Amino acid sequence: SQKIEQNSEALNIQEGKTATLTCNYTNYSPAYLQWYRQDPGRGPVFLLLIRENEKEKRKERLKVTFDTTLKQSLFHITASQPADSATYLCALPPFSGGYNKLIFGAGTRLAVHP
Amino acid sequence: GAVVSQHPSWVICKSGTSVKIECRSLDFQATTMFWYRQFPKQSLMLMATSNEGSKATYEQGVEKDKFLINHASLTLSTLTVTSAHPEDSSFYICSESLDTQYFGPGTRLTVL
């Protein structure tokens, strides 16, 4: 069955460094992959979408890569700030289909320390 | 992006009662909305797809008679948790489906 894996351990980094989060998936070849940010007690907020024919996507300090051979996406935050501290979720359309449906990974919590 | 609101933001109820959660699209017409449930430190679990003017589509393992979804207008979908029990205590989040998904702020349900 379809599986999405994100590092369950929190990532602690120093302010100004680059944070790199990993999303691995199995048994599937999605047409696209999305990244969301979720703060405690809040709904997720969409950050970036990358399609299977795109290797890399950037938005301000964010960069996402998509390696369909490795079945992996990397999410980078450069020049990280304490305000970037949150849980980051990757999401894929389900193998079973459904317009705009998404299956979410468990998320990785990022803590940026001053 | 779209703006989605949810009401109430939190609710506490007694076991056996029903609770209705509203999800409103404030600036777009949403023919499709999604309902999720999230337990502490776990991922969002898709419960159902809410379709305006037709029956909701439920994910496997979700009881449609317990989680009633109504999408009577293009701006409002409601989720009613019927005969709530403590194990239904969770964070319920809706989203609006446009180019991507835009989420509401969530509703924290606590069943005593």
Side-chain angles (χ1 to χ4, degrees):
Chain A
S1 61
Q2 185 180 4
K3 206 172 177 183
I4 302 172
E5 293 177 345
Q6 292 186 258
N7 196 338
S8 58
E9 290 184 19
L11 178 63
N12 291 282
I13 65 167
Q14 210 66 31
E15 183 176 8
K17 301 291 186 184
T18 296
T20 299
L21 288 74
T22 304
C23 175
N24 295 296
Y25 57 92
T26 59
N27 300 330
Y28 185 45
S29 295
Y32 59 86
L33 183 148
Q34 301 186 23
W35 283 90
Y36 287 77
R37 167 183 173 143
Q38 186 176 25
D39 290 284
R42 306 291 297 174
V45 174
F46 170 73
L47 296 175
L48 281 167
L49 180 153
I50 186 165
R51 300 189 186 281
E52 61 180 340
N53 61 346
E54 298 175 311
K55 294 294 183 187
E56 184 180 294
K57 202 84 169 274
R58 290 175 185 262
K59 178 182 174 184
E60 297 173 353
R61 294 184 295 111
L62 309 180
K63 185 179 85 171
V64 171
T65 62
F66 195 9
D67 189 325
T68 55
T69 301
L70 290 179
K71 295 189 183 297
Q72 180 181 79
S73 175
L74 298 178
F75 177 79
H76 306 272
I77 305 176
T78 58
S80 60
Q81 304 166 1
D84 296 325
S85 299
T87 296
Y88 291 86
L89 310 169
C90 76
L92 305 171
F95 176 77
S96 55
Y99 179 70
N100 245 0
K101 276 176 71 171
L102 291 172
I103 303 298
F104 283 81
T108 298
R109 190 165 61 86
L110 171 67
V112 181
H113 302 282
Chain B
V3 179
V4 179
S5 70
Q6 280 185 243
H7 177 79
S9 55
W10 59 269
V11 57
I12 301 172
C13 69
K14 291 182 179 179
S15 187
T17 60
S18 294
V19 174
K20 180 186 282 188
I21 301 170
E22 294 184 347
C23 177
R24 288 185 186 275
S25 172
L26 300 183
D27 51 1
F28 283 95
Q29 293 183 330
T31 56
T32 301
M33 288 182 167
F34 297 102
W35 285 97
Y36 295 83
R37 180 166 55 178
Q38 187 176 36
F39 293 106
K41 298 190 177 181
Q42 292 188 26
S43 182
L44 279 76
M45 297 301 298
L46 180 63
M47 300 175 67
T49 303
S50 173
N51 303 299
E52 188 269 335
S54 64
K55 289 184 180 180
T57 306
Y58 291 81
E59 295 299 303
Q60 193 172 10
V62 178
E63 300 174 58
K64 62 180 181 181
D65 294 329
K66 180 169 181 63
F67 299 100
L68 301 179
I69 291 173
N70 184 277
H71 196 153
S73 79
L74 286 170
T75 58
L76 175 65
S77 174
T78 60
L79 168 68
T80 301
V81 183
T82 63
S83 187
H85 291 286
E87 56 265 31
D88 297 323
S89 298
S90 187
F91 192 53
Y92 292 87
I93 317 174
C94 68
S95 72
E96 177 179 15
S97 174
L98 295 172
D99 53 332
T100 181
Q101 289 192 31
Y102 297 92
F103 286 83
T107 297
R108 173 76 57 193
L109 170 63
T110 301
V111 184
L112 302 176

